[in-house]
């Protein structure tokens, strides 16, 4: 048994067979094939051997022509190696009699050969091990094909172990089969981590190197609650975690039973619970968890993992999918919220920003790249006839920005009108409140908007001047800080005075610890990670508004983050012991 | 039908000294196993206590036969005699290129 510690980025326990993707993207194979697959697997081996031989021959001919015959000779030897009958006999036997997968057989036999050479005294002979490794890799490459794509084509339950996963690879993991994942590198703020949370599968990142210790098919436990990965677990550990996983399932099932009940406080006040989503597929999670709509639809994924800008139709397609699936429930689409470094074709102006979080990003970037911005606005407007679509601008810090953005929106509307394209002229327009300056001027902002949404992640960061990715100061980043609570209070009061709906989105509203506080501050709309909705609903249905108001009053009197946090925890525990974690 | 007596299987054994300064390295092993494969006989090669299949390049390489080592070639089968003769010749002539030399030798091998 081997225990690895990493960073917990998505909670839950997963137990399953390993699907391993190594540094070069090689999938380290599973060990066995089924009896009736043997013939097909032998066939696959034949094809891989032929393909390898062809490639080696081509290499040989090229090298002979370019460098001379002596250099080509090595490939003649390699050619003989892949066609070696003894090798083939051993491989066939392993597949036929022991039901090994061709990949596993190739690795095993050739690694054994390589070991023999490594053990030889003469340096010349011991170095031949490299030639054998070369043959092994070539055969594996041909057996596995474009194996990275296989990640999205998994057909049996697995846990994915990889050196790294890109956000789009993570997003494409099939939730039906991928029970969890672990990456050797990565941190808590990374996009991969956010996507893991969105997929609602247990995930641990940043474990450091360990892939050489596992092979495909090994049983692995991922403890996403504590950031642990357990390789070759013993029986007792497996039993313990099975029990844990079972309990989590029971808890989830209990919460799911709340799905069709409204989020209504014990004294009858209806709270709107919305989902935060990143990928179109996540609307299903929203519906599964009984969300009243989508409170924050991040659109950044359209720009990530590609080096060309998304077209208007590409925008439209994904928006339309989300809006249609939500069937009349509100969908708040947030315009581009990225730094210039992440958006294709916008970065040549500044090559490097010293403080990207204070730099050209989000609405600032959109207002400087009007064609890019117009494309997105047009697509959102086109989708607006399909349901209840609302548009939201991120990182607004001045009134001028909101006026410019609205002016441009009006412009785009005129264009569409001229072209005879239908759209909703009264599409609600709102902004994210995430810069303290915007809170200071909130009374003016609400006059010009149809709604506001407090984005707590950035608001905390900008209010407390903390980069939460920086380990040295990350502990200062705290949603419980009284300064943060006061800013939310200000925004909520201003919105109420102007009778403009106000929402809170971000990790703060996804945590049950803050539900009572937020309701007490006057929030009647919360937007959270879909998976958190049932728990939050449970809190809503248990408390009364006066109770929450008392909690908010008390919290606003406290002087430091730790006191606020502990107080909120205790209050929650008192009311709902089973949720107090 | 009576079983075919094993006595009838032809056998042939020969000894030969490795003369290549690098011993049985990649190129010789490749040529050796390639030539061995052209015969139907079973071919076993020995060097000291190591005994390998002469038709497998991996095994022939694993002999790690150094320069000056004596290797024993044993063939068993219909073409056993031809096999040992051809393989001994290959080693004795220090592994010449197998294909009849088509290129004009004069312009290639007389450098230096």
């Amino acid at each position: 048994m081997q225990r690895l510690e990493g960073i917990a980025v998505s909670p839950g326990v997963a137990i399953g067979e390993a699907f391993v993707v190594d540094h070069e993207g090689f999938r380290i194979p599973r060990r066995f094939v089924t009896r009736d697959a043997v013939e097909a697997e032998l066939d696959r081996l034949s094809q891989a051997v032929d393909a390898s031989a062809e490639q080696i021959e081509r290499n040989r001919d090229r090298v002979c022509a370019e460098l001379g015959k002596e250099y080509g000779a090595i490939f003649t030897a390699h050619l003989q190696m892949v066609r070696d009958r003894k090798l083939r006999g051993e491989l066939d036997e392993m597949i036929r009699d022991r039901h090994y997968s061709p990949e596993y057989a190739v690795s095993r036999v050739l690694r054994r050969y390589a070991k023999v050479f490594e053990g030889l005294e003469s340096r010349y002979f011991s170095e031949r091990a490299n030639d054998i490794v070369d043959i092994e890799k070539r055969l594996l490459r041909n057996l596995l094909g474009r194996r990275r794509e296989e990640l999205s084509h998994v057909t049996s339950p697995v846990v994915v172990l990889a050196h790294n996963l890109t956000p789009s690879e993570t997003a494409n993991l099939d939730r039906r089969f991928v029970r969890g994942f672990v990456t050797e590198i990565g941190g808590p703020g990374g996009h991969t981590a956010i996507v893991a949370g969105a997929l609602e599968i247990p995930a641990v990142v940043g474990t450091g190197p360990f892939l050489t210790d596992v092979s495909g098919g090994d049983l692995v436990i991922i403890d996403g609650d504590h950031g642990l990965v357990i390789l070759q677990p013993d029986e007792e550990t497996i039993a313990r975690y099975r029990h844990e996983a079972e309990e989590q399932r029971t808890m989830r099932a209990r919460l799911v039973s709340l799905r069709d009940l409204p989020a209504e406080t014990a004294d009858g006040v209806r709270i709107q619970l919305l989902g935060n989503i990143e990928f179109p597929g996540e609307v299903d999670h929203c519906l599964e968890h009984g969300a009243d709509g989508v409170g924050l639809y991040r659109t950044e994924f359209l720009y990530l993992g590609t080096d060309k800008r998304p077209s208007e139709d590409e925008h439209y397609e994904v928006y339309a999918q989300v809006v249609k699936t939500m069937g009349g429930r509100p969908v708040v689409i947030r315009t581009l919220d990225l730094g210039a470094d992440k958006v294709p074709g916008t970065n040549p102006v500044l090559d490097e920003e010293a403080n990207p979080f204070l730099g050209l990003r989000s609405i600032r970037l959109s207002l400087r790249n009007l064609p890019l911005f117009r494309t997105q606005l047009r697509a959102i407007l086109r989708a607006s006839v399909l349901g209840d679509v609302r548009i939201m601008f991120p990182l607004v810090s001045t009134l001028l920005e909101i006026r410019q953005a609205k002016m441009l929106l009006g412009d785009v509307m005129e264009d569409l009108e001229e072209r005879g394209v239908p759209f909703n002229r009264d599409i609600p327009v709102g902004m994210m409140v995430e810069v303290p300056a915007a809170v200071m001027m909130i009374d003016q902002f609400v006059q010009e908007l149809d709604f506001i949404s407090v984005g707590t992640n950035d608001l905390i960061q900008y209010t407390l001047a903390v980069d939460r990715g920086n380990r040295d100061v990350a502990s200062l980043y705290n949603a419980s800080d009284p300064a943060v609570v006061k800013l939310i209070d200000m925004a909520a009061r201003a919105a109420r005075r102007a009778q403009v709906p106000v929402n809170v989105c971000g990790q703060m509203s996804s945590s049950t610890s803050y539900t009572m506080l937020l309701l007490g501050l006057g929030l009647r709309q919360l937007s959270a990670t879909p998976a958190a909705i049932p728990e939050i609903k449970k809190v809503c249905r248990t408390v009364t508004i006066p109770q929450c108001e008392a909690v908010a009053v008390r919290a606003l009197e406290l002087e430091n983050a730790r006191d606020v946090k502990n107080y909120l925890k205790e209050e929650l525990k008192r009311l709902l012991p089973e949720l107090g974690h | 039908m009576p079983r075919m007596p094993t006595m009838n299987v032809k056998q042939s054994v020969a000894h030969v000294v490795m003369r290549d300064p690098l011993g049985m390295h990649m190129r010789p092993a490749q040529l050796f196993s390639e030539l061995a494969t052209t015969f139907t006989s079973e071919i076993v090669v020995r060097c000291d206590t190591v005994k390998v299949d002469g038709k497998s390049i991996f095994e022939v390489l694993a002999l790690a036969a150094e320069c000056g080592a004596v290797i024993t070639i044993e063939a068993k089968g219909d073409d056993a005699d031809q096999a040992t003769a051809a393989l001994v010749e290959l080693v004795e002539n220090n592994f010449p290129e197998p294909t009849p030399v088509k290129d004009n030798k004069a312009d290639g091998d007389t450098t230096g």
Side-chain angles (χ1 to χ4, degrees):
Chain A
M1 192 162 85
Q2 192 183 341
R3 268 166 58 109
L4 301 159
E5 268 178 53
I7 302 160
V9 291
S10 183
V13 167
I15 305 173
E17 279 188 19
F19 181 101
V20 190
V21 184
D22 80 1
H23 286 68
E24 293 168 39
F26 272 119
R27 177 162 75 74
I28 297 172
R30 56 181 293 117
R31 244 170 231 182
F32 298 105
V33 297
T34 55
R35 187 185 305 270
D36 44 341
V38 162
E39 288 308 319
E41 296 293 314
L42 285 169
D43 233 35
R44 217 155 58 77
L45 178 66
S46 275
Q47 284 169 18
V49 168
D50 290 347
S52 301
E54 251 170 61
Q55 291 155 4
I56 296 170
E57 239 169 301
R58 268 204 304 278
N59 278 349
R60 182 188 57 189
D61 295 348
R62 208 193 59 231
V63 170
C64 282
E66 288 172 9
L67 302 171
K69 254 185 161 172
E70 314 87 273
Y71 295 94
I74 186 74
F75 291 104
T76 308
H78 281 193
L79 197 58
Q80 187 130 353
M81 285 182 173
V82 288
R83 288 195 179 138
D84 194 276
R85 283 198 248 169
K86 180 99 183 178
L87 167 69
R88 187 55 181 280
E90 282 194 65
L91 294 176
D92 283 357
E93 186 247 292
M94 280 184 162
I95 299 167
R96 195 182 296 282
D97 299 344
R98 293 196 239 175
H99 296 178
Y100 283 173
S101 68
E103 290 91 346
Y104 187 62
V106 162
S107 285
R108 248 188 96 113
V109 174
L110 286 169
R111 280 185 194 183
R112 198 182 67 227
Y113 285 178
K115 270 238 160 64
V116 171
F117 286 97
E118 278 164 9
L120 294 176
E121 263 170 50
S122 145
R123 227 187 103 228
Y124 173 81
F125 285 110
S126 60
E127 280 174 3
R128 296 287 64 76
N130 288 333
D131 292 286
I132 295 174
V133 171
D134 202 40
I135 300 287
E136 180 202 348
K137 291 219 156 171
R138 185 179 296 282
L139 280 170
L140 284 180
R141 240 191 324 269
N142 283 308
L143 277 169
L144 297 168
R146 298 185 59 194
R147 63 276 155 195
R148 277 246 150 191
E149 288 177 5
E150 291 197 3
L151 252 187
S152 50
H153 297 136
V154 181
T155 51
S156 62
V158 292
V159 295
V160 172
L161 311 179
H163 175 62
N164 190 19
L165 290 174
T166 65
S168 53
E169 278 171 338
T170 313
N172 286 325
L173 295 176
D174 190 332
R175 268 210 308 162
R176 284 173 303 164
F177 302 118
V178 178
R179 293 184 171 167
F181 73 81
V182 182
T183 59
E184 291 184 326
I185 63 168
H191 225 80
T192 301
I194 292 178
V195 178
L199 285 172
E200 301 174 5
I201 55 177
V204 174
V205 303
T207 56
F210 73 96
L211 291 178
T212 46
D213 300 334
V214 288
S215 70
D218 284 1
L219 192 74
V220 174
I221 298 174
I222 302 175
D223 177 348
D225 299 313
H226 302 101
L228 293 175
V229 182
I230 299 159
L231 311 178
Q232 295 109 40
D234 57 31
E235 286 304 319
E236 191 196 323
T237 310
I238 295 173
R240 188 156 50 81
Y241 273 106
R242 286 238 157 93
H243 180 71
E244 172 83 30
E246 193 50 46
E247 288 214 319
Q248 287 178 356
R249 257 196 302 278
T250 315
M251 177 74 179
R252 268 201 304 275
R254 272 225 314 274
L255 291 170
V256 165
S257 66
L258 290 171
R259 186 177 63 188
D260 301 321
L261 297 173
E264 203 177 82
T265 59
D267 51 346
V269 176
R270 179 72 162 89
I271 309 298
Q272 226 184 350
L273 294 185
L274 307 156
N276 297 337
I277 67 168
E278 174 104 18
F279 298 98
E282 287 178 77
V283 278
D284 297 335
H285 307 194
C286 288
L287 295 174
E288 276 164 32
H289 292 117
D292 295 309
V294 172
L296 171 62
Y297 179 9
R298 306 181 176 101
T299 55
E300 288 71 62
F301 85 97
L302 281 162
Y303 299 87
L304 297 172
T306 161
D307 45 16
K308 76 182 204 346
R309 292 180 186 189
S311 69
E312 181 183 322
D313 283 341
E314 281 165 335
H315 278 284
Y316 174 77
E317 288 304 324
V318 292
Y319 302 158
Q321 184 191 336
V322 169
V323 175
K324 282 185 199 155
T325 313
M326 290 310 287
R329 296 183 185 82
V331 174
V332 180
I333 302 178
R334 180 180 71 184
T335 62
L336 175 72
D337 187 27
L338 277 181
D341 56 325
K342 302 262 172 48
V343 183
T346 55
N347 47 352
V349 192
L350 280 170
D351 33 17
E352 210 169 287
E353 289 185 290
N355 286 309
F357 278 99
L358 304 180
L360 185 62
R361 54 185 294 112
S362 306
I363 191 72
R364 302 169 185 177
L365 183 68
S366 293
L367 289 171
R368 287 271 204 98
N369 290 273
L370 295 183
L372 177 100
F373 199 19
R374 280 170 178 276
T375 302
Q376 185 170 29
L377 294 176
R378 262 200 305 271
I380 296 173
L381 285 171
R382 279 171 58 195
S384 69
V385 293
L386 304 170
D388 181 353
V389 176
R390 306 171 187 191
I391 186 167
M392 178 159 75
F393 301 117
L395 202 81
V396 175
S397 45
T398 69
L399 282 160
L400 201 61
E401 284 167 337
I402 214 68
R403 286 173 190 158
Q404 280 179 336
K406 284 180 72 175
M407 209 149 74
L408 193 73
L409 184 67
D411 240 27
V412 173
M413 283 180 174
E414 264 173 47
D415 284 356
L416 288 178
E417 202 145 61
E418 272 170 33
R419 279 162 44 193
V421 179
F423 62 93
N424 172 17
R425 181 163 278 286
D426 300 318
I427 184 170
V429 177
M431 71 179 241
M432 296 274 287
V433 176
E434 43 192 348
V435 181
V439 182
M440 294 301 150
M441 299 294 287
I442 197 70
D443 283 314
Q444 280 73 30
F445 277 110
V446 288
Q447 298 304 319
E448 314 204 3
L449 294 163
D450 302 309
F451 67 94
I452 60 172
S453 186
V454 182
T456 53
N457 296 8
D458 275 342
L459 183 63
I460 296 166
Q461 162 162 293
Y462 291 127
T463 301
L464 302 172
V466 175
D467 173 1
R468 64 173 164 163
N470 179 340
R471 277 168 191 264
D472 294 327
V473 294
S475 63
L476 291 170
Y477 179 98
N478 197 329
S480 302
D481 197 284
V484 176
V485 179
K486 282 204 162 71
L487 288 172
I488 298 173
D489 184 40
M490 279 175 72
R493 281 171 194 277
R496 217 169 29 243
R497 276 195 299 273
Q499 293 186 321
V500 165
V502 54
N503 175 27
V504 172
C505 59
Q507 280 163 353
M508 188 175 180
S509 44
S510 298
S511 162
T512 48
S513 304
Y514 299 104
T515 310
M516 291 174 79
L517 171 67
L518 293 173
L519 297 186
L521 291 174
L523 271 299
R524 296 296 176 262
Q525 252 184 33
L526 299 174
S527 192
T529 299
I533 289 176
E535 284 193 359
I536 294 169
K537 190 185 275 185
K538 176 100 184 144
V539 176
C540 291
R541 292 179 58 85
T542 309
V543 300
T544 64
I545 293 297
Q547 263 174 342
C548 294
E549 281 170 351
V551 167
V553 167
R554 177 81 187 111
L556 280 166
E557 288 165 6
L558 295 170
E559 289 177 347
N560 64 65
R562 203 204 297 167
D563 291 347
V564 174
K565 193 168 197 161
N566 289 341
Y567 170 66
L568 296 177
K569 246 189 188 155
E570 275 164 33
E571 286 298 308
L572 180 65
K573 216 171 179 172
R574 222 158 44 83
L575 274 157
L576 275 161
E578 73 266 35
L579 283 184
H581 34 223
Chain B
M1 202 161 88
R3 286 176 74 195
M4 197 191 287
T6 45
M7 280 160 59
N8 279 2
V9 176
K10 286 188 201 159
Q11 291 207 22
S12 171
V13 180
H15 306 278
V16 64
V17 179
M18 277 303 297
R19 291 199 307 186
D20 191 294
L22 280 171
M24 185 69 91
H25 61 92
M26 196 72 119
R27 185 70 179 146
Q30 184 257 314
L31 292 170
F32 190 98
S33 55
E34 188 176 59
L35 181 58
T37 314
T38 62
F39 299 99
T40 56
S41 294
E42 207 179 286
I43 295 165
V44 170
V45 189
R46 271 190 230 238
C47 179
D48 289 332
T49 54
V50 190
K51 187 173 145 185
V52 301
D53 180 345
K55 293 184 181 182
S56 166
I57 181 172
F58 295 105
E59 301 222 342
V60 174
L61 263 175
L63 265 188
E66 309 257 356
C67 181
V70 176
I71 62 171
T72 306
I73 303 164
E74 299 174 13
K76 218 187 269 181
D78 287 341
D79 52 5
D81 291 333
Q82 296 94 307
T84 43
L87 290 167
V88 165
E89 193 191 332
L90 178 74
V91 181
E92 271 182 346
N93 292 342
N94 209 9
F95 305 95
E97 286 298 316
T99 44
V101 185
K102 281 185 229 144
D103 308 304
N104 184 357
K105 266 221 149 195
D107 66 35
D109 288 3
T110 53
T111 43

